[in-house]
Amino acid sequence: MMMPSGRFLTRAMAGAAILATALAAPAPAQQAPQPAPAAAAASNTFDAVRARGTLICGVNTGLAGFAQPDSQGVWRGFDVDYCRAYAAAIFGDPTKVRFVPTTAQNRFTALQSGEVDVLSRNTTWTLSRDTSLGFDFTGTNFFDGQGFMVKASTGVKTAKELDGATICVQPGTTTEQNLTDWARATRIRFTPVVIERLEEVVQAYLAGRCDAYTTDVSGLAATRSAQQRPADHVILPDVISKEPLSPLVRQGDPRFADVIKWVHYMLLSAEEFGITQANVQQMLQNDARPEVQRMLGRGGDLGRMLGLDNAWGANVIRAIGNYAEIFERNLKPIGLQRGPNALWTAGGLQYSPPFR
Amino acid sequence: MSDITLNTAAAGVPEAAPRSAPLTQIGLVGWLRANLFSSWLSSAVSLLLLYLIIRWAAGFIEWGIVNAIWSVPNNQTQACRDLKGTGACWAVITEKHRFMLFGTYPYEEHWRPFLVCLLFIGLYVVSAMRRFWRWELALIWVAVLTLIGVLMWGGILGLSYVPQERWGGLPITLILATFGLAFAFPLAILVALGRRSSLPAIKVLCIMYVELIRGVPLISLLFMASVMFPLFLPEGMNIDKLLRAQIAIILFAAAYLAEVVRGGLQALPKGQYEAADALGLSYWQKTGFIILPQALRLVIPPLVNTFIGFFKDTSLVLIIGIFDLLTAGKTAIIEPAWQGFGVEVYITIGAIYFVFCFAMSKYSQGLEAELNRHRRR
């Protein structure tokens, strides 16, 4: 609701705005002539990105496995690899991307205001965000959901066995509500231990004040990997809520959204057809399957249709590998299993439309 | 007294060899007796506290030095985890210190933020010395701050361009604190003078500014700067996130400092104002030569208190995704291999903050003593 009035005010504040530009950092984008009118800029992220020569990607300020800088300050993680994949698709070079760390509070503004081009930051796809916030979600690249962690010594194998258990949970989020709903639906009785702060709730679980700890599976995995002996804790296979995490872009630029969307599908299809970082060159030359030929740009004109180079797919895989490789590299070390993120051919939910 | 002594000496009374006071009255023993063991109650308390301090110190030395692990090969933190908390894992600092200090700044270019930190410290030292308190100091500030900007951004003189979102760690903390206070202090003086002005418009404006800013927490101002403000700008136009946070900090600090300065202005006896008027000084002469030098001297302790507070408050920028020293430290221990070693990281960061704040505090004590010499009798 802020946005329309904001735009109007903007024009009135042109004078102040020019002063502000002068004060602003000499980022390359600002060395371009005066900013284009809002409407034109909104529909032209794709051209703006190409003209700038780098993609600006909003990522988490630090979430194990998804986005975190390593000891040398280089960003690593699942969401970060997606950003590199976009850069590889658009520019043929995975290094042409800038990472802007965003917090849970300022992530949406960063995207709305154009501070970032795409938000690749473990954000749940919901109807209200898709519509009233004015974003386009480009396809779930990680199916998260609320799960349970128990101590291995308890011998619990499924969530059904938690009847009568004490469960640690943080208040205020949807987590608590999901837990209650699930318990009612499955007729399970439990005693909640509600603790506000993350460290304290984890401490309570470790100290044995509750039998199980519940939050999103990715969060459980991160907590588990931080323990002295991760193997002492088991994440149960049951997932009781839907948290589809998806990259998102501003609404109103279908061309850019298409690129972001199809890079994800490229990663999935590459896994499906067995194209990896190691064998992509060989596949490009030798594989006779027509879909592989089209994906890697030897046949068809798919890249051109997206407004990209025909070799975009080969560039993406060469730079960062396929979906399975990204998963192995980033999420396996924190103890996450493929689960619902397996390919549809392996009983999971990850499914790519055909490349033709 | 001294007269009498002189007289007796002059009268030829044989002078006894000077004797020192009894050993139980002076020196360490005397001090201990006077301060720690003057009664059975204070002896008991002293012994108890001594016991606790020694126990704690021994525990800390055992944890921090004897059992500690200083480095591990290739992120293999198993050795650290096997300690089960009986020893510190300083390996996390060995591994992550460059990230904690400089954030995501390009690794091969770390000499640039390092130089920036040295420049800042040099600037503080030079500004602290009274013999450099001349108007040329302002030029030095401008030159050094420009140099710092060039070093951080690059893009000229063969330095590669480093966008702001890659800056991090200690330079961010120093930039926010230094620029924040350097701009806030003059603004605060103007606002404080304005609040005591006889011109109603200026007075109301200053009161509104101070009350409005003091009425909201810093965190909400930072939110305004980072979340609301960009929505009022056209798409594609972004004022640097760091600059927005910096402006919010300046406005906030200025409101608080203004109240401190106003306290000094009000503490001055009215006679000083009247005497200045009687000399026929103009308003600005009166303020510059008579009022402010005395008023500011009075408020050195609360001023430094506010400075120290703001130096640490800069860490609030973590909520808008800027990697200051504290945030960089927190981010360093997100990597799964290094999770769970927060204590070591927080001790290190605490030590860095302490060095800066303690230096500020010590310096202000010295300054206070020096400037208030005329009050001592």
Side-chain angles (χ1 to χ4, degrees):
Chain A
M1 345 135 232
M2 282 305 311
M3 304 236 336
S5 62
R7 296 279 147 68
F8 286 123
L9 258 175
T10 301
R11 279 158 211 169
M13 298 197 311
I18 289 163
L19 178 72
T21 336
L23 286 169
Q30 285 150 0
Q31 281 157 6
Q34 282 305 300
S43 60
N44 253 327
T45 313
F46 187 73
D47 292 337
V49 169
R50 295 201 83 152
R52 191 193 305 132
T54 47
L55 177 76
I56 304 180
C57 209
V59 294
N60 200 309
T61 47
L63 180 65
F66 286 88
Q68 105 236 337
D70 67 7
S71 306
Q72 313 215 322
V74 179
W75 285 94
R76 309 246 175 244
F78 183 84
D79 287 341
V80 169
D81 276 351
Y82 263 81
C83 293
R84 296 217 166 91
Y86 304 143
I90 298 171
F91 303 110
D93 181 354
T95 63
K96 290 194 169 170
V97 56
R98 283 164 51 189
F99 297 100
V100 172
T102 54
T103 62
Q105 289 85 14
N106 74 0
R107 57 180 165 179
F108 294 131
T109 319
L111 185 58
Q112 278 166 340
S113 68
E115 192 180 333
V116 301
D117 301 315
V118 51
L119 197 60
S120 177
R121 188 201 179 280
N122 56 301
T123 302
T124 303
W125 186 350
T126 66
L127 185 140
S128 57
R129 286 172 179 175
D130 206 341
T131 53
S132 67
L133 281 184
F135 297 134
D136 269 339
F137 286 80
T138 56
T140 307
N141 60 4
F142 185 85
F143 288 96
D144 206 348
Q146 192 174 338
F148 298 93
M149 180 158 74
V150 296
K151 295 213 174 71
S153 55
T154 58
V156 172
K157 291 280 177 286
T158 72
K160 291 264 164 57
E161 296 170 38
L162 288 174
D163 197 12
T166 330
I167 299 177
C168 276
V169 60
Q170 281 178 281
T173 58
T174 49
T175 319
E176 199 184 0
Q177 184 66 43
N178 290 338
L179 179 64
T180 321
D181 291 353
W182 165 80
R184 196 168 296 151
T186 49
R187 293 167 190 279
I188 279 179
R189 286 172 303 107
F190 71 97
T191 316
V193 174
V194 183
I195 299 173
E196 176 83 40
R197 288 172 52 83
L198 177 67
E199 304 91 272
E200 286 170 16
V201 75
V202 171
Q203 275 309 315
Y205 161 72
L206 292 176
R209 276 181 64 195
C210 34
D211 306 309
Y213 165 46
T214 181
T215 187
D216 286 352
V217 172
S218 55
L220 290 177
T223 303
R224 179 175 171 271
S225 70
Q227 301 313 313
Q228 311 275 2
R229 287 172 197 279
D232 287 354
H233 306 275
V234 178
I235 297 173
L236 301 179
D238 312 66
V239 172
I240 63 167
S241 78
K242 291 192 281 190
E243 303 287 345
L245 307 185
S246 161
L248 50 156
V249 297
R250 281 182 296 278
Q251 211 156 33
D253 190 0
R255 275 208 305 158
F256 187 60
D258 281 346
V259 170
I260 301 296
K261 203 180 290 176
W262 281 92
V263 167
H264 171 54
Y265 294 142
M266 171 61 75
L267 296 170
L268 290 181
S269 291
E271 186 189 352
E272 194 176 331
F273 289 98
I275 310 170
T276 64
Q277 202 168 7
N279 72 9
V280 57
Q281 204 55 40
Q282 188 199 340
M283 289 283 230
L284 180 62
Q285 276 142 18
N286 304 333
D287 200 289
R289 285 176 291 181
E291 183 146 4
V292 173
Q293 292 289 303
R294 286 194 296 270
M295 280 164 64
L296 298 181
R298 287 253 293 178
D301 219 6
L302 298 185
R304 200 77 30 89
M305 293 177 202
L306 281 169
L308 299 171
D309 191 82
N310 274 338
W312 69 284
N315 290 337
V316 167
I317 307 301
R318 202 177 291 129
I320 60 151
N322 63 31
Y323 185 82
E325 288 174 284
I326 296 178
F327 203 100
E328 294 277 313
R329 185 162 56 228
N330 299 302
L331 301 180
K332 198 84 177 291
I334 64 165
L336 279 176
Q337 306 299 315
R338 284 295 286 270
N341 291 298
L343 287 185
W344 63 291
T345 47
L349 293 171
Q350 292 291 3
Y351 178 97
S352 162
F355 277 73
R356 62 170 184 256
Chain B
M1 289 291 282
S2 54
D3 287 343
I4 297 169
T5 324
L6 276 175
N7 290 342
T8 46
V13 174
E15 197 180 343
R19 283 184 301 164
S20 55
L23 204 63
T24 49
Q25 299 294 311
I26 59 156
L28 185 65
V29 179
W31 185 86
L32 283 177
R33 275 182 71 133
N35 292 297
L36 298 181
F37 301 100
S38 57
S39 69
W40 67 267
L41 184 64
S42 74
S43 299
V45 170
S46 298
L47 286 176
L48 180 70
L49 288 177
L50 198 67
Y51 168 72
L52 289 178
I53 289 170
I54 289 175
R55 236 189 90 165
W56 181 84
F60 186 80
I61 288 170
E62 194 188 349
W63 176 81
I65 296 170
V66 179
N67 288 343
I69 290 183
W70 299 88
S71 66
V72 293
N74 299 328
N75 285 359
Q76 297 302 312
T77 49
Q78 204 47 49
C80 276
R81 297 196 188 277
D82 289 342
L83 289 174
K84 294 214 174 67
T86 56
C89 182
W90 297 117
V92 64
I93 309 296
T94 316
E95 169 74 19
K96 294 282 188 185
H97 68 281
R98 298 220 359 207
F99 179 76
M100 284 160 58
L101 286 176
F102 306 127
T104 54
Y105 208 86
Y107 195 71
E108 359 12 283
E109 305 279 337
H110 274 182
W111 62 271
R112 281 157 59 180
F114 179 70
L115 209 57
V116 164
C117 292
L118 290 186
L119 279 173
F120 267 123
I121 293 170
L123 191 60
Y124 301 150
V125 170
V126 167
S127 314
M129 286 195 245
R130 290 193 74 188
R131 87 176 88 126
F132 292 108
W133 286 8
R134 286 180 303 206
W135 68 270
E136 287 94 340
L137 191 61
L139 288 185
I140 294 179
W141 270 73
V142 171
V144 171
L145 294 186
T146 314
L147 187 59
I148 282 168
V150 169
L151 276 172
M152 288 304 279
W153 264 304
I156 54 168
L157 304 173
L159 298 172
S160 58
Y161 172 70
V162 179
Q164 177 272 311
E165 75 262 4
R166 298 204 61 179
W167 303 7
L170 188 57
I172 287 278
T173 298
L174 294 180
I175 286 171
L176 286 174
T178 311
F179 280 83
L181 295 173
F183 283 95
F185 191 51
L187 181 60
I189 292 178
L190 290 181
V191 172
L193 291 173
R195 245 192 117 155
R196 289 174 54 81
S197 162
S198 52
L199 305 171
I202 291 181
K203 189 171 178 173
V204 166
L205 208 65
C206 289
I207 290 178
M208 269 173 55
Y209 165 73
V210 170
E211 295 305 333
L212 211 64
I213 300 274
R214 281 204 311 173
V216 293
L218 176 56
I219 208 157
S220 63
L221 266 188
L222 287 173
F223 263 128
M224 285 287 286
S226 101
V227 178
M228 299 279 289
F229 186 66
L231 295 176
F232 294 97
L233 295 175
E235 224 168 308
M237 187 186 130
N238 288 302
I239 297 185
D240 189 273
K241 188 158 71 172
L242 186 64
L243 183 69
R244 295 196 308 248
Q246 180 75 79
I247 291 173
I249 286 179
I250 291 174
L251 291 179
F252 194 73
Y256 276 80
L257 290 173
E259 286 302 279
V260 173
V261 173
R262 188 168 68 96
L265 294 177
Q266 276 173 349
L268 269 198
K270 200 138 194 266
Q272 295 290 328
Y273 292 84
E274 288 164 354
D277 287 335
L279 286 174
L281 297 182
S282 73
Y283 176 78
W284 290 111
Q285 282 173 330
K286 177 175 80 176
T287 309
F289 295 131
I290 310 289
I291 307 301
L292 277 183
Q294 299 187 72
L296 292 182
R297 187 165 61 203
L298 283 173
V299 292
I300 289 174
L303 269 184
V304 173
N305 192 28
T306 316
F307 280 8
I308 290 177
F310 271 98
F311 184 75
K312 291 178 293 183
D313 277 354
T314 55
S315 58
L316 281 178
V317 294
L318 83 103
I319 56 132
I320 56 173
I322 294 175
F323 280 26
D324 75 311
L325 183 60
L326 182 62
T327 319
K330 281 174 141 174
T331 311
I333 45 171
I334 281 173
E335 204 175 324
W338 294 103
Q339 274 180 4
F341 302 113
V343 177
E344 290 84 348
V345 168
Y346 288 130
I347 287 180
T348 311
I349 289 173
I352 296 175
Y353 274 108
F354 180 79
V355 166
F356 280 97
C357 294
F358 190 66
M360 258 192 270
S361 160
K362 272 320 226 190
Y363 172 69
S364 89
Q365 278 175 14
L367 195 63
E368 223 176 293
E370 198 169 328
L371 292 182
N372 284 336
R373 223 179 252 164
H374 66 286
R375 286 174 182 251
R376 276 231 210 97
R377 291 277 150 80

